[in-house]
Amino acid sequence: MVPEGRTRMMNCQQATKLISESQERSLSLPEKMSLKVHVMMCSGCKNFSLQVPFLSKAMKAQRQLGRRRSQEISAGL
């Protein structure tokens, strides 16, 4: 049991969820602080936090490419 007023350490599942959510929304200060502490101590989550922004950008670029290609097909190009 955790003493009153203290919180448990964030686990990897919670951390990766917040890392992913941070691409879509602003995290609250407590979320940011807990995540920062976890990422400082967990190399796996640190690596994940570095990869997610790259993957997010790659997915957005792919979506744009797909839209452009659809427009070209519709225009008969």
Side-chain angles (χ1 to χ4, degrees):
M1 182 176 274
V2 178
E4 189 174 328
R6 299 198 116 192
T7 57
R8 286 191 166 189
M9 173 79 174
M10 180 179 290
N11 64 36
C12 292
Q13 183 177 4
Q14 293 165 325
T16 55
K17 182 177 185 234
L18 283 180
I19 291 166
S20 296
E21 287 180 5
S22 72
Q23 298 300 302
E24 303 296 325
R25 68 173 178 91
S26 295
L27 300 180
S28 68
L29 185 58
E31 288 173 326
K32 288 178 186 177
M33 297 298 289
S34 294
L35 182 57
K36 185 171 186 125
V37 169
H38 180 89
V39 168
M40 287 186 339
M41 297 189 301
C42 179
S43 62
C45 288
K46 181 177 182 175
N47 289 337
F48 183 74
S49 73
L50 297 173
Q51 293 170 351
V52 166
F54 170 79
L55 292 172
S56 182
K57 286 179 186 175
M59 289 171 52
K60 287 177 185 174
Q62 181 62 34
R63 245 188 325 246
Q64 290 174 346
L65 183 62
R67 284 188 198 125
R68 195 174 315 132
R69 184 66 184 133
S70 292
Q71 290 170 350
E72 289 171 357
I73 291 170
S74 295
L77 299 177

